[in-house]
Amino acid sequence: MHEKDHINEKSKQEQLKSFKVDDSKKNMTTNQGLKVSEDELSLTAGERGPTLMEDFHFREKMTHFDHERIPERVVHARGFAAHGVFETYESMKQYTKAKFLSEAGKKTPVFTRFSTVVGNRGSADTVRDVRGFATKFFTEEGNYDLVANNMPVFFIQDGMKFPDVVHALKPEQHNDIPQASGAHDTFWDFVANNQESAHHVMWLMSGRAVPRSYRMMEGFGVNTFRFVNEQGVSHFVKFHWKPKLGAHSLVWDEAQKIAGKDPDYNRRDLYDAIEMGNFPEWELGVQIIEEKDEFAFDFDILDPTKIWPEEDVPVKRIGKLTLNQNVDNFFAETEQVAFHPGHVVPGIDFTNDPLLQGRLFSYTDTQLIRLGGPNFHEIPINRPVVQFYNNQREGYHRQTINKGKVSYHNNSLAGNTPSPVSEEKGGYSHYQEKVDGKKIRKRSVSFQDHFSQATLFWNSMSGPERLHIIDAFSFEVGSVKDKVLRQQVVDMFANVDMELATAFAQNIGATPPKGEGTSVTKSSPALSQLNTVKTAKTRKVGIILDNGFEDKKIKDILHGLNAEGVTYEIISEKQGIIKGLGGEELMVDHTFTTTDPVLYDAIYVGGGAASSRLFHKKTTYYLKEAFKHYKPIGATDTGVTFLEDNNYIGSLGVVDGTNTSFVKDFVQAIAEHRHWNRQVM
Ligand code: HDE
């Protein structure tokens, strides 16, 4: 495999195959291969006697167990990953010599890990947080990592401040509370005292921080990189991931409830979608700026607290990522994968973005402690699909068996090999940017405007999105104990928008700000999730049914939903089989108590006998929750009485079965994601 010169989309899978072990139907052995005859009783001196030291099997088993945990990632500890393929749409040779982007139809195996940032490994998926979106491309020129987030800007401008923002965001020092949440004093103290965070905080208070699904989330490389072509011409580039299913969010009340009902909500969603063959897809987009336009904008294009508005610098879609295979082993693959923005291939290079420069140090450093030494690149999931040759040797967990006695360069004993390769033959060569300046600890004034783009974000939001942001500030800053700090935050965000700061100031008992407010009026429609892709495909409907349902009608509706790519689960009072009037049988997936309305995109009441009081009570609860969270609701047959009882008929996104085109209308309502303009008490 290593010596193969042809890399195809299956290459990584083939490479991993040789490391995979299926130990089902096998005899048990020790790690030395010795067959084990007894695995439950330790070796003792007599039936009631003491355990003996010489029980090597007991000691090996226990020692391994004692050492099973490795340190979790200091940030992005909780994550979930899958394998897939990236396919290039068209040759990007004009901009970059990166081979995996060089021709239309070229396929590259990838591994993508999604994550939350702040919580521990066992924390809930749906907390308010940034999401990581890291992709390793196993290219023929070595691994390229695009280590992205689902928000396009960052809290800080200089890597030097990363430990500070993370310390502030993590649980507080004295009591280790709260878990996976920024709703506490130290985070907001950091924000108020580091005003460059304003723009990122706006994103964090928006629906982007509670994505409905990893499959419905945008990704952004945040930092400014370079594309360099064969001729050595460089362009500035920002990377984007655009989800084919659109970018959609949960509502906060729902996100909080899901954190209890199903803390694995986002990972389960990704896993299930892949198992069902609903492979999630994203398009890779690039924004490109010519070198000569470096200073043509009213912000510094190297400032990671700034976006390049898509209306000013269009996003060109250059390829498609498809995740199509779940991992076999979470620890071996998802936990041990090691990303690094410094893993680049020829044609992709860095800029002087000061945050990026900090990152280029941190990622390898952190793997040393997390993965226990300098040989983490040899762990199967991290291995490039091309063989690596150099003079690095030894260290913990070395697996390569290098032949020969030479491990230095230059040498003549091995004909001066392994030998460096010229740029023309594919050797990586850094872009020769001219740098001339004094060694100083100082930031350019072009990085000093911290508020204009935070306002741009606010200006671009629709009404419901603004309400989400005001509620989020009210919750988060309202959770801050220090009243002076609360006021500081209000005064800071008055620089973003007076209406916003006034609204949450009133909710948290702070003094509304005075003054003129900002004069920034610019907006960017691409930032609003109301303008995203809308589709019912892969959405999950909770179908409430009781015995005595209308056989044909229900069957037709189920088929209709299936045909539109909608998935569903049948919910009833008891598990087992329910029967229709004509004897049709359906298997119940969940009872009212093993699931919850917050776990569905829509609720449909198909009715049936619906005679018990419990059925009535629970169905009403399911509908009320769905209604409150702006979800589509459908009902036919006896189910319609539930809509009547709750006065839902005629409300936005409520579809009743008196309509002959029920499936069509319901699917359309599902595609809307949420009916934000519904009047909800
Ligand atoms: Fe990271 N980041 N980061 N980060 N980051 C890590 O590396 C760091 C930043 C991102 O699924 C760590 O292996 C510094 C921006 C993702 O395994 C660590 C700075 C963006 C992941 C680290 C940043 C990211 C990480 C922790 C500021 C979006 C998870 C574990 C200078 C573009 C990757 C690890 C995975 C992980 C450092 C800022 C994305 C400590 C110093 C901006 C998606 O090295």
Side-chain angles (χ1 to χ4, degrees):
M1 163 73 219
H2 283 323
E3 303 294 345
K4 246 185 171 174
D5 43 12
H6 178 66
I7 305 301
N8 62 33
E9 61 173 298
K10 294 272 185 301
S11 301
K12 187 63 192 174
Q13 295 301 329
E14 279 168 29
Q15 184 195 44
L16 288 178
K17 240 186 234 164
S18 60
F19 294 96
K20 288 185 187 175
V21 174
D22 175 7
D23 38 27
S24 61
K25 304 194 192 84
K26 298 284 186 313
N27 288 328
M28 183 184 283
T29 72
T30 66
N31 287 336
Q32 303 306 315
L34 177 73
K35 290 197 179 97
V36 169
S37 61
E38 168 56 57
D39 187 50
E40 290 174 66
L41 297 171
S42 41
L43 187 70
T44 52
E47 284 181 17
R48 302 182 64 247
T51 307
L52 297 176
M53 265 295 251
E54 72 177 70
D55 187 352
F56 54 80
H57 175 52
F58 164 80
R59 278 187 286 118
E60 184 196 80
K61 182 176 176 181
M62 191 58 83
T63 304
H64 196 278
F65 169 75
D66 290 344
H67 295 256
E68 271 173 12
R69 290 291 166 276
I70 62 170
E72 63 176 32
R73 289 167 174 81
V74 60
V75 282
H76 297 266
R78 181 165 179 82
F80 203 68
H83 294 275
V85 60
F86 176 78
E87 183 171 356
T88 300
Y89 285 160
E90 62 178 287
S91 171
M92 289 299 290
K93 273 186 178 159
Q94 183 190 349
Y95 298 106
T96 172
K97 58 185 167 187
K99 290 233 168 82
F100 78 103
L101 297 174
S102 65
E103 51 184 277
K106 185 143 193 163
K107 290 184 177 173
T108 306
V110 296
F111 188 66
T112 296
R113 181 176 181 269
F114 301 100
S115 48
T116 53
V117 176
V118 181
N120 290 350
R121 247 191 73 173
S123 55
D125 278 349
T126 56
V127 296
R128 177 173 295 284
D129 199 355
V130 184
R131 299 298 186 283
F133 187 152
T135 301
K136 201 178 269 298
F137 296 76
F138 299 98
T139 89
E140 66 201 272
E141 298 178 291
N143 290 352
Y144 167 57
D145 292 355
L146 177 49
V147 196
N149 277 345
N150 78 328
M151 298 179 191
V153 288
F154 207 62
F155 296 109
I156 48 169
Q157 294 170 324
D158 192 317
M160 183 84 142
K161 291 172 74 161
F162 191 64
D164 297 300
V165 64
V166 175
H167 283 177
L169 202 40
K170 286 272 183 183
E172 297 191 358
Q173 280 292 299
H174 61 307
N175 59 9
D176 202 35
I177 297 173
Q179 178 55 238
S181 167
H184 60 108
D185 287 42
T186 57
F187 175 61
W188 288 97
D189 190 29
F190 180 89
V191 171
N193 289 288
N194 295 272
Q195 306 218 336
E196 72 208 61
S197 62
H199 190 187
H200 194 175
V201 169
M202 291 299 292
W203 283 81
L204 189 62
M205 293 303 107
S206 79
R208 304 282 182 147
V210 279
R212 154 66 182 85
S213 160
Y214 292 137
R215 302 177 293 126
M216 299 168 201
M217 203 170 79
E218 287 187 287
F220 305 90
V222 177
N223 298 116
T224 301
F225 289 85
R226 280 177 195 282
F227 267 165
V228 185
N229 66 14
E230 288 287 357
Q231 292 71 42
V233 178
S234 148
H235 286 82
F236 295 104
V237 60
K238 272 202 193 286
F239 294 105
H240 293 247
W241 288 115
K242 299 279 187 190
K244 288 281 221 172
L245 297 173
H248 300 280
S249 296
L250 300 169
V251 297
W252 179 231
D253 177 65
E254 183 192 14
Q256 284 180 301
K257 287 173 177 162
I258 296 174
K261 295 282 179 186
D262 184 6
D264 302 309
Y265 181 74
N266 286 141
R267 56 170 61 180
R268 193 189 304 284
D269 169 271
L270 184 70
Y271 182 87
D272 287 351
I274 293 175
E275 288 300 297
M276 280 188 246
N278 290 331
F279 301 144
E281 295 174 332
W282 292 258
E283 289 186 300
L284 178 65
V286 287
Q287 285 177 297
I288 295 176
I289 292 180
E290 289 186 39
E291 284 259 351
K292 70 170 173 52
D293 292 334
E294 180 169 1
F295 303 105
F297 297 86
D298 60 359
F299 53 87
D300 196 314
I301 64 164
L302 301 188
D303 178 352
T305 67
K306 302 292 182 296
I307 59 164
W308 301 352
E310 290 186 28
E311 292 76 13
D312 300 339
V313 186
V315 176
K316 182 179 171 60
R317 298 176 188 227
I318 66 169
K320 191 177 74 180
L321 163 72
T322 307
L323 296 182
N324 53 20
Q325 201 187 320
N326 281 312
V327 302
D328 284 308
N329 187 280
F330 180 86
F331 180 84
E333 302 177 72
T334 310
E335 196 59 12
Q336 294 200 108
V337 66
F339 293 96
H340 176 25
H343 292 160
V344 286
V345 289
I348 300 180
D349 210 318
F350 315 116
T351 65
N352 297 329
D353 171 344
L355 193 76
L356 174 59
Q357 292 293 326
R359 295 180 75 197
L360 293 176
F361 165 74
S362 175
Y363 287 70
T364 308
D365 185 46
T366 206
Q367 312 308 345
L368 295 178
I369 175 102
R370 195 169 71 79
L371 298 171
N375 288 315
F376 58 85
H377 59 284
E378 294 192 87
I379 296 172
I381 190 64
N382 293 323
R383 281 177 182 261
V385 289
V386 286
Q387 177 60 327
F388 44 87
Y389 307 96
N390 54 47
N391 292 311
Q392 294 167 35
R393 296 287 188 274
E394 310 181 12
Y396 283 111
H397 317 304
R398 183 71 176 174
Q399 289 165 48
T400 305
I401 303 174
N402 296 96
K403 295 201 258 182
K405 58 185 168 190
V406 171
S407 59
Y408 51 87
H409 178 251
N410 295 326
N411 68 65
S412 45
L413 287 179
N416 208 19
T417 59
S419 52
V421 179
S422 69
E423 195 181 342
E424 294 68 45
K425 291 197 172 136
Y428 189 89
S429 152
H430 290 262
Y431 178 67
Q432 295 190 8
E433 181 181 1
K434 188 169 175 338
V435 181
D436 191 7
K438 291 187 179 142
K439 288 185 194 168
I440 44 170
R441 293 188 186 273
K442 198 175 171 199
R443 179 103 317 117
S444 158
V445 288
S446 56
F447 279 60
Q448 271 173 14
D449 170 12
H450 302 324
F451 294 109
S452 298
Q453 284 211 351
T455 307
L456 168 90
F457 182 75
W458 173 257
N459 289 347
S460 312
M461 294 293 101
S462 62
E465 287 171 307
R466 286 189 179 189
L467 280 182
H468 184 121
I469 294 172
I470 292 169
D471 286 350
F473 270 103
S474 306
F475 173 86
E476 294 260 324
V477 189
S479 305
V480 166
K481 294 203 179 66
D482 189 302
K483 302 279 188 311
V484 177
L485 186 50
R486 287 191 192 185
Q487 191 63 46
Q488 270 178 277
V489 177
V490 168
D491 295 342
M492 171 175 170
F493 283 87
N495 295 307
V496 176
D497 187 82
M498 288 299 273
E499 187 197 337
L500 162 68
T502 305
F504 79 81
Q506 282 165 346
N507 288 344
I508 65 171
T511 310
K514 292 193 183 61
E516 290 300 301
T518 172
S519 58
V520 175
T521 53
K522 188 171 172 169
S523 65
S524 164
L527 297 177
S528 170
Q529 285 178 276
L530 250 59
N531 300 329
T532 192
V533 177
K534 290 176 180 166
T535 169
K537 290 219 162 20
T538 78
R539 294 306 187 119
K540 190 167 165 185
V541 181
I543 299 185
I544 302 179
L545 272 184
D546 197 3
N547 283 310
F549 56 85
E550 297 261 2
D551 305 58
K552 171 146 170 43
K553 236 187 201 168
I554 294 294
K555 278 260 151 167
D556 285 350
I557 288 170
L558 297 186
H559 279 139
L561 292 176
N562 246 333
E564 294 292 335
V566 174
T567 68
Y568 57 79
E569 284 176 348
I570 294 180
I571 306 162
S572 197
E573 206 176 319
K574 296 198 177 76
Q575 245 148 12
I577 304 263
I578 46 171
K579 278 195 177 162
L581 290 171
E584 190 76 56
E585 294 189 345
L586 281 173
M587 181 66 85
V588 174
D589 296 300
H590 277 291
T591 64
F592 290 116
T593 44
T594 62
T595 188
D596 197 85
V598 290
L599 304 176
Y600 298 97
D601 290 301
I603 297 293
Y604 159 54
V605 191
S611 48
S612 86
R613 274 189 58 197
L614 185 76
F615 192 94
H616 266 257
K617 207 171 119 196
K618 290 291 185 181
T619 304
T620 305
Y621 162 72
Y622 270 61
L623 287 176
K624 284 210 152 117
E625 285 287 289
F627 192 82
K628 187 165 81 179
H629 298 142
Y630 309 95
K631 291 177 182 174
I633 289 175
T636 56
D637 311 296
T638 53
V640 178
T641 55
F642 287 94
L643 301 187
E644 288 161 356
D645 292 352
N646 289 289
N647 277 334
Y648 290 162
I649 292 198
S651 292
L652 275 179
V654 175
V655 184
D656 64 83
T658 47
N659 192 329
T660 47
S661 56
F662 174 77
V663 171
K664 193 171 144 265
D665 294 346
F666 191 41
V667 167
Q668 208 171 353
I670 296 170
E672 275 300 306
H673 177 59
R674 297 298 161 93
H675 297 270
W676 300 112
N677 294 323
R678 175 187 289 164
Q679 294 302 314
V680 171
M681 294 309 143

